[in-house]
Amino acid sequence: MINTRVLLASRPVGLPKNENWKIETVEAGQPAEGEFLAEVLYISLDPAMRGWVNEGKSYVDAVGIGEVMRAGGVARVIESSNPGFAVGDYVAGSSGVQKYWISNGRDVRKVDPELAPLPKYLGVLGMPGMTAYFGLLEVGELKAGDTVLVSGAAGAVGAIVGQIAKIKGCRVVGIAGGEDKCSYLTGELGFDAAIDYKSEPLYPAVKKHCPEGIDVYFDNVGGETLDVALAHLRLNARVVICGAISQYNKTTAPGGPKNYLSLLVNRAKMEGFIVFDFAARYSSAIRDMSRWIDEGRLQAREHIVEGLETFPETLLMLFDGRNQGKLIIKV
Ligand SMILES: NC(=O)c1ccc[n+]([C@@H]2O[C@H](COP(=O)([O-])OP(=O)(O)OC[C@H]3O[C@@H](n4cnc5c(N)ncnc54)[C@H](OP(=O)(O)O)[C@@H]3O)[C@@H](O)[C@H]2O)c1
């Protein structure tokens, strides 16, 4: 069996380029005792990938030069020497950007294509869904009646954040790029308002749509957007630092938030988090999310691009906003 895989060839400076990746074909290999071999069907593309290929200390080790690019994936077991996994099982885990994956089963969960289409396990029922759920409810300490502002609002995490906030009885304003994404938020997802940051100045728009200020700001973007949100906090507001995609390709260090003294004046807090810290509680979150999906109160879309070889170009869609929902490669 021949494996096609994407390796990190060199560390990107700024936006990743084709030359930073190497696509190669090699023997897929055989699973050793305790391992299984799986055919990867879908691969998750995440903004975090940009951080994983940087040198230096982070919340996970950097992907090494010459290593298979790290990625979440959904796969079907085709050979198994691990008693926990049978041929035909569908599994989700850190498959890497490759066609065949050998795993010892650690941190791998079984998924059921009868319960949800497989791509959903990389989106709303996977890491981005968990990020939205725990980031908003735990880190953001959401309360009914809160005014919630979320950036990256039409994306995999942001769209779920806004809908959970609506389910919990909040007023929700989303920030997204472009008219289509904004009308998706207010028309289909039930957001109370949407701000197109690409066509309107952010500060007056946030002031207009959050006239009483913001109780929870869920930040996916960082930079100027975070500054504007800080300038509109209410008393005891919570600022959730989920991500800062506007900063990931910068070649200079990110500037500090200008308006941080708003935290002091408003007795507010700002807290970052990593979704993996909540892994022990994913199953209860998935139960809630599945119920909301069944009740028609939570929806999610996936943006699926075909072909493993498209990885270098498809990844860039995250950084110019071409993805409409959770970005996934169908292998
Ligand atoms: N803390 C955690 O554990 C954790 C876990 C998962 C994800 N995250 C973070 O959550 C955020 C969203 O991830 P996702 O998977 O849901 O991605 P996504 O929102 O589906 O896709 C990224 C979106 O970011 C927006 N964007 C790109 N460059 C931007 C810029 N310079 N300024 C403003 N917006 C920009 C684009 O939307 P527009 O068209 O609207 O510009 C793009 O569609 C990322 O920051 C990611 O790192 C954190």
Side-chain angles (χ1 to χ4, degrees), residues 4-331:
T4 305
R5 56 190 199 176
V6 177
L7 311 181
L8 179 67
S10 57
R11 302 213 177 274
V13 177
L15 216 51
K17 300 177 192 61
N18 279 347
E19 72 215 37
N20 299 127
W21 310 106
K22 180 180 175 202
I23 303 180
E24 68 171 22
T25 50
V26 289
E27 282 287 329
Q30 289 291 318
E33 198 53 43
E35 294 180 335
F36 64 75
L37 170 70
E39 180 186 10
V40 180
L41 305 171
Y42 295 97
I43 292 172
S44 173
L45 273 73
D46 293 284
M49 287 174 152
R50 182 62 190 85
W52 298 340
V53 296
N54 284 339
E55 190 98 63
K57 190 175 174 295
S58 183
Y59 62 97
V60 283
D61 291 339
V63 177
I65 304 293
E67 285 179 9
V68 175
M69 180 56 196
R70 180 183 297 137
V74 169
R76 191 180 56 235
V77 176
I78 54 174
E79 273 183 59
S80 184
S81 299
N82 179 320
F85 296 90
V87 170
D89 280 351
Y90 288 89
V91 290
S94 187
S95 65
V97 185
Q98 57 183 344
K99 195 165 175 205
Y100 294 106
W101 168 40
I102 292 180
S103 166
N104 60 13
R106 196 159 8 106
D107 297 329
V108 174
R109 67 182 173 121
K110 290 188 195 174
V111 296
D112 186 347
E114 302 286 321
L115 291 181
L118 291 171
K120 297 274 179 212
Y121 293 104
L122 298 178
V124 61
L125 298 176
M127 191 273 286
M130 299 299 99
T131 302
Y133 184 96
F134 290 105
L136 184 65
L137 300 179
E138 296 287 323
V139 186
E141 298 169 17
L142 190 76
K143 296 187 215 34
D146 279 348
T147 293
V148 176
L149 179 71
V150 53
S151 56
V157 174
I160 308 298
V161 166
Q163 292 177 86
I164 295 177
K166 286 307 300 176
I167 290 168
K168 297 288 182 183
C170 299
R171 180 180 152 69
V172 180
V173 179
I175 302 174
E179 214 179 302
D180 282 357
K181 288 188 179 181
C182 286
S183 48
Y184 169 65
L185 297 180
T186 51
E188 287 183 48
L189 301 189
F191 282 48
D192 297 283
I195 298 169
D196 175 4
Y197 76 94
K198 288 186 175 166
S199 76
E200 51 187 319
L202 212 46
Y203 186 97
V206 172
K207 195 174 166 64
K208 176 176 149 200
H209 292 298
C210 307
E212 311 283 320
I214 301 160
D215 296 293
V216 176
Y217 172 51
F218 194 104
D219 192 19
N220 287 315
V221 161
E224 190 211 333
T225 314
L226 172 59
D227 277 334
V228 170
L230 287 174
H232 290 91
L233 297 185
R234 283 181 89 171
L235 208 60
N236 301 129
R238 287 82 69 202
V239 177
V240 180
I241 304 296
C242 174
I245 195 166
S246 72
Q247 307 297 306
Y248 294 171
N249 290 298
K250 285 245 153 84
T251 50
T252 52
K258 277 199 279 245
N259 297 327
Y260 81 95
L261 283 181
S262 173
L263 298 170
L264 182 156
V265 174
N266 292 298
R267 292 79 155 172
K269 72 161 194 173
M270 178 152 94
E271 186 176 342
F273 76 104
I274 295 293
V275 63
F276 304 130
D277 296 342
F278 295 94
R281 293 164 59 196
Y282 283 175
S283 51
S284 71
I286 289 171
R287 267 198 301 279
D288 279 348
M289 307 276 270
S290 305
R291 193 181 68 248
W292 294 330
I293 293 171
D294 289 347
E295 292 168 354
R297 302 166 82 195
L298 179 63
Q299 49 173 298
R301 61 183 180 183
E302 294 80 37
H303 187 138
I304 299 180
V305 177
E306 289 212 17
L308 194 71
E309 317 68 39
T310 69
F311 174 79
E313 177 57 32
T314 303
L315 180 66
L316 300 182
M317 295 173 78
L318 292 169
F319 300 111
D320 58 22
R322 274 176 292 155
N323 65 310
Q324 310 267 348
K326 171 64 207 158
L327 187 61
I328 290 171
I329 282 182
K330 182 173 195 285
V331 179

